[in-house]
Amino acid sequence: MRIHFFRAGAIGFALAWSAASILGAENQPRYLDASQPVETRVDDLLSRMTLEEKISIVHADSKFSTAAVPRLGIPRRWVDDGPHGVREDVGPYSWNAVGGTNDFATWLPVLSALGSTWNTDLAAAYGDVIGSEARARDKDVMLAPIVDIARTPLCGRIYEYLGEDPFLNARLGVNYVEGLQSNGVAACIKHFAGNNQECGRETINMDMDDRTLREIYLPPFEAAVKEAHVWSVMGAYSKFRGENCAYNDYLINHLLKGEWQFPGFVMSDWGGTHGTAEAVRGGLDVEMGTLVGSEEPSAYSKFFLAQPFLDGIRLGEYPVSLLDDKVRRSLRVMIATGVLDPRPAGSLNTPEHQAVARRIAEESMVLLKNKNHALPLNLSGIKSVAVIGENAVRHNANGFFGAGVKTPFEITPLDGIKQLVGDKAGVTYSAGYAKNGGGSNLVAEAVAAAKNADVAIVVAGLSHIRSQDDEGVDRVSLSLPYGQDELIRQVAQANPRTIVVLVSGPAIELGPWLAQVPAVLQAHYSGMEGGRALANILFGEVNPSGKLTVTYPRQLSDSPAHALGTYPGTNGTLFYKEGLLVGYRWFDAKKIEPAFPFGYGLSYTTFKYSDLKLVPADGTNEIVTAQFEIKNTGKVAGAEVAQLYVHEKNPSVMRPEKELKGFKKVFLKPGETQTVTIPLDQRAFAFYDPAKTGWVAETGDYQIEIGSSSRDVRLKEHFHLGQTVVTK
Ligand code: BGC
């Protein structure tokens, strides 16, 4: 394969250098002097730009770029999806893949898998791989990560989401962004704020009360801005309180740029801009993907922030200061990420990157059931393995729209199992069903294979097609398609040692066969190394340590958005009636038994929790530190995700029963004990008070609960907060 690395930094530097040489070294403009503060360089560069040059960088000039300003050495700005690896190159003026030889990338496990690791170090490593590969592939801005909340399990993009809890999303999102941006690439966190379903996403007008917005949907974005200093934000397609999210005066001007002091730029989603005046005034800084009815390069001048914006300025409709603010934000990000200076080269799909992909896959798989230690499988007692199900051989890296990656290889479940088993046992494969209908002979073949084998592994699930795990449309039910429920039932009847592996986003309805099978593993879409990771878990080379980040309901109607009938909205409007009670908060409040709770996941070993102490904190922002012991009481090494939930006993306002406010993943050898400490700050106790426009941690009694899942609390301790603290 011919590999040709073209580095944007090098181009930017070359252009800048030529500008400097035209001007003469002694007259080098300040914006090219890397020793100057970013703002000085921005001011200088902005002051040299013409009106037309400024306009040229606030809208796209191809599917995934904004224009260069060669006169000043500003290179073309390349942006790209996506969350799971640097997307293959398309266009530039069409959605067709260019078919290049150097546009491949590491395919990492999807974000619902990353979430399930509950490992913040892995989130940073994930971002670092994306950032490094973005550099190697000439990308300046990566359209990732997604930190939207998984509000309904039907959401077509739920596999791209980290989960249903704002605290967990924030912790993982922050580390992802930091890892990515450490490579001199801007992250573009998305979709701000409230792309929680695909159904009607481009037109729906959503609303919710202020506490719900602040406490559930905004925290991951707020943390990315305030802690990770994310450089760009993508507006959601939908409307919020009647105005488009990408240029919503309240969300963008007031909250993001005002209250949170976000210094970077806001980019539209592709085709998410619908008017010049509202976009100009509502705070949109870069317009992408508008449909102008033609794929010609000249069509880009018709964008709302192109010629119409320029005309408006010339006619005095918009002050130049509005344009300057948008340009300044783009220049600030370019300069801060080193676009005008020499930048690190990055590297593509190295063995180290592949190892990160494998480790994430291994830590993400969630063992949902393991009756009588059905797993791990011990090859010394197994001579034949029947692998069943199309998902055992399907390649999933192409994702859908922005979530796909051109991976150099993809180890499927069947590949992984065959590689690990080698010649120690025979491995057969039968499809069991076909997507386009395959009739009962496929089921019969699978059942016969299962009957003749020592163990049957059914790799069931979904794929990236319409109405499954796919962008732009939602699922229609939580059931497995293509008669897979019946297939599993029949295989389990033929061979009681049937293991079910799910390749899908969360959540699947397992009720029709759960009682019949001894073991179930949620494996997600687990990246290029996924099949190897899966085999390592099935055969005990790796101990599973993933935990659910989404509640698995027993039936869809148990989920809040569906129980209240608010999904998918009425007459174009969607009110989030469940308010704060999203995910486990709802199941707790309504005392509904889920199929599997948030935070749940089994291990091949056991853990004992003990000795919870609450140590008053000496730090400024910190209120108290929870300290406890975890011991691995089993025979194999393993990792446990200890979760800390806060419950306020007599709140003055409605509060969820308990909320995740801390977690730690600990790795323990058999017999080993570790002391875990989890600090709690003011926010861990606070609710948002719209009247005070601030966060109130009120004086009173709290219970600190330490659990192995949200429904398996192992330790509890009472805590009294002596005085009310209000922060902004
Ligand atoms: C998606 C974004 C994506 C963009 C560009 C849109 O359809 O919503 O997440 O970044 O396309 O591919």
Side-chain angles (χ1 to χ4, degrees), residues 55 59 300-312 314:
I55 287 284
H59 63 86
Y300 290 85
S301 66
K302 296 190 189 133
F303 272 37
F304 296 104
L305 293 189
Q307 192 64 41
F309 188 13
L310 185 60
D311 293 344
R314 287 190 174 134

Side-chain angles (χ1 to χ4, degrees), residues 245-549:
C245 287
Y247 39 92
N248 184 293
D249 187 49
Y250 175 66
L251 289 178
I252 307 287
N253 289 334
H254 174 80
L255 228 142
L256 179 68
K257 294 181 176 174
E259 212 179 288
W260 299 349
Q261 297 284 295
F262 171 64
F265 62 81
V266 173
M267 180 175 271
S268 73
D269 202 339
W270 271 234
T273 313
H274 306 284
T276 300
E278 41 284 47
V280 167
R281 298 210 171 90
L284 181 67
D285 302 308
V286 183
E287 178 192 3
M288 302 297 294
T290 302
L291 297 173
V292 280
S294 149
E295 299 287 5
E296 295 308 306
S298 60
Y300 290 85
S301 66
K302 296 190 189 133
F303 272 37
F304 296 104
L305 293 189
Q307 192 64 41
F309 188 13
L310 185 60
D311 293 344
I313 290 178
R314 287 190 174 134
L315 289 170
E317 282 170 26
Y318 315 114
V320 180
S321 59
L322 273 179
L323 172 62
D324 280 353
D325 179 63
K326 298 179 198 305
V327 176
R328 185 181 290 281
R329 288 170 180 277
S330 278
L331 297 180
R332 181 179 291 135
V333 176
M334 287 180 192
I335 291 173
T337 54
V339 165
L340 299 183
D341 310 315
R343 285 200 284 177
S347 49
L348 208 48
N349 197 234
T350 59
E352 291 76 24
H353 292 182
Q354 293 167 13
V356 170
R358 184 166 70 247
R359 171 99 191 271
I360 292 168
E362 287 172 348
E363 283 199 31
S364 72
M365 296 189 185
V366 185
L367 186 57
L368 296 175
K369 180 173 180 185
N370 198 17
K371 199 171 161 203
N372 299 330
H373 305 286
L375 288 176
L377 301 169
N378 183 345
L379 271 176
S380 63
I382 293 173
K383 289 286 145 274
S384 50
V385 181
V387 178
I388 295 162
E390 267 203 323
N391 271 356
V393 295
R394 178 176 299 128
H395 286 227
N396 288 307
N398 58 349
F400 203 82
F401 285 151
V405 176
K406 183 162 148 188
T407 182
F409 63 84
E410 177 173 347
I411 301 173
T412 64
L414 183 64
D415 296 336
I417 290 168
K418 278 188 167 166
Q419 282 173 22
L420 189 141
V421 168
D423 56 9
K424 295 196 194 82
V427 177
T428 62
Y429 169 70
S430 19
Y433 66 93
K435 275 200 320 207
N436 44 8
S440 54
N441 58 330
L442 289 176
V443 178
E445 273 166 36
V447 168
K451 213 175 224 147
N452 292 327
D454 293 327
V455 58
I457 302 172
V458 183
V459 186
L462 306 175
S463 65
H464 299 305
I465 62 166
R466 305 314 268 172
S467 306
Q468 295 190 23
D469 285 319
D470 175 19
E471 186 179 327
V473 280
D474 287 334
R475 287 166 67 193
V476 285
S477 85
L478 294 184
S479 306
L480 288 170
Y482 317 126
Q484 292 180 82
D485 287 337
E486 184 55 24
L487 171 71
I488 296 169
R489 273 199 295 260
Q490 291 201 28
V491 169
Q493 217 160 33
N495 189 335
R497 212 170 167 193
T498 291
I499 314 296
V500 176
V501 173
L502 295 167
V503 172
S504 71
I508 300 288
E509 195 179 326
L510 319 175
W513 42 263
L514 186 61
Q516 270 180 266
V517 300
V520 183
L521 184 73
Q522 172 57 261
H524 320 283
Y525 300 102
S526 51
M528 67 196 304
E529 289 275 336
R532 214 193 303 266
L534 173 65
N536 283 343
I537 287 180
L538 293 175
F539 292 93
E541 299 287 324
V542 168
N543 190 350
S545 62
K547 301 261 189 178
L548 295 182
T549 65

Side-chain angles (χ1 to χ4, degrees), residues 64 81 87 95 143 157 190-191 201 234 237 269-270 402 471:
F64 282 100
D81 290 300
R87 178 185 182 158
W95 285 107
L143 307 173
R157 292 182 88 172
K190 63 191 186 183
H191 308 83
R201 69 174 180 174
M234 185 190 291
Y237 280 123
D269 202 339
W270 271 234
E471 186 179 327

Side-chain angles (χ1 to χ4, degrees), residues 650-720:
N650 296 300
S652 63
V653 294
M654 193 290 270
R655 298 200 73 175
E657 180 65 21
K658 61 173 171 307
E659 297 188 274
L660 183 78
K661 295 297 170 185
F663 62 89
K664 196 112 178 210
K665 190 161 193 175
V666 282
F667 297 81
L668 296 165
K669 298 196 196 79
E672 189 186 343
T673 301
Q674 253 185 53
T675 303
V676 179
T677 53
I678 301 180
L680 295 174
D681 60 11
Q682 184 267 353
R683 265 289 182 99
F685 296 91
F687 59 85
Y688 185 78
D689 184 345
K692 295 196 171 72
T693 59
W695 293 87
V696 180
E698 61 183 347
T699 176
D701 293 318
Y702 294 82
Q703 186 158 276
I704 308 298
E705 304 184 354
I706 308 293
S708 176
S709 85
S710 63
R711 288 282 173 113
D712 181 9
V713 172
R714 304 284 182 89
L715 305 169
K716 289 180 189 172
E717 196 55 73
H718 172 262
F719 177 72
H720 181 75

Side-chain angles (χ1 to χ4, degrees), residues 148-183:
D148 295 319
I149 296 290
R151 174 176 181 258
T152 157
L154 291 189
C155 175
R157 292 182 88 172
I158 200 167
Y159 74 101
E160 292 188 64
Y161 290 11
L162 291 162
E164 71 187 22
D165 184 78
F167 181 82
L168 180 63
N169 280 18
R171 293 337 321 147
L172 296 168
V174 161
N175 279 27
Y176 184 122
V177 169
E178 285 176 350
L180 197 162
Q181 295 196 158
S182 68
N183 291 278

Side-chain angles (χ1 to χ4, degrees), residues 8-34 41 45 69-75 338-343:
I11 302 169
F13 183 62
L15 286 167
W17 179 85
S18 62
S21 58
I22 293 163
L23 292 161
E26 66 288 359
N27 293 326
Q28 177 179 294
R30 292 174 94 185
Y31 74 89
L32 288 177
D33 180 353
R41 297 176 72 185
L45 183 49
V69 184
R71 184 181 73 84
L72 295 166
I74 300 175
V339 165
L340 299 183
D341 310 315
R343 285 200 284 177

Side-chain angles (χ1 to χ4, degrees), residues 455-648:
V455 58
I457 302 172
V458 183
V459 186
L462 306 175
S463 65
H464 299 305
I465 62 166
R466 305 314 268 172
S467 306
Q468 295 190 23
D469 285 319
D470 175 19
E471 186 179 327
V473 280
D474 287 334
R475 287 166 67 193
V476 285
S477 85
L478 294 184
S479 306
L480 288 170
Y482 317 126
Q484 292 180 82
D485 287 337
E486 184 55 24
L487 171 71
I488 296 169
R489 273 199 295 260
Q490 291 201 28
V491 169
Q493 217 160 33
N495 189 335
R497 212 170 167 193
T498 291
I499 314 296
V500 176
V501 173
L502 295 167
V503 172
S504 71
I508 300 288
E509 195 179 326
L510 319 175
W513 42 263
L514 186 61
Q516 270 180 266
V517 300
V520 183
L521 184 73
Q522 172 57 261
H524 320 283
Y525 300 102
S526 51
M528 67 196 304
E529 289 275 336
R532 214 193 303 266
L534 173 65
N536 283 343
I537 287 180
L538 293 175
F539 292 93
E541 299 287 324
V542 168
N543 190 350
S545 62
K547 301 261 189 178
L548 295 182
T549 65
V550 169
T551 305
Y552 279 41
R554 282 185 305 188
Q555 56 211 0
L556 185 62
S557 56
D558 288 346
S559 268
H562 303 277
L564 295 175
T566 56
Y567 173 91
T570 313
N571 299 329
T573 299
L574 172 63
F575 190 78
Y576 288 17
K577 209 168 164 188
E578 72 285 358
L580 300 169
L581 301 181
V582 176
Y584 65 90
R585 290 163 168 81
W586 171 265
F587 285 78
D588 286 352
K590 304 294 170 193
K591 302 198 178 357
I592 301 169
E593 199 54 43
F596 295 102
F598 175 81
Y600 172 89
L602 302 172
S603 166
Y604 295 155
T605 188
T606 47
F607 300 98
K608 183 167 175 284
Y609 289 64
S610 65
D611 299 324
L612 173 60
K613 291 187 200 63
L614 299 180
V615 187
D618 41 15
T620 43
N621 190 30
E622 219 172 288
I623 289 190
V624 67
T625 295
Q627 185 181 308
F628 54 96
E629 312 275 297
I630 301 187
K631 182 175 184 185
N632 180 346
T633 46
K635 294 195 179 62
V636 290
E640 169 71 333
V641 178
Q643 300 153 43
L644 187 155
Y645 296 88
V646 175
H647 159 76
E648 183 173 356

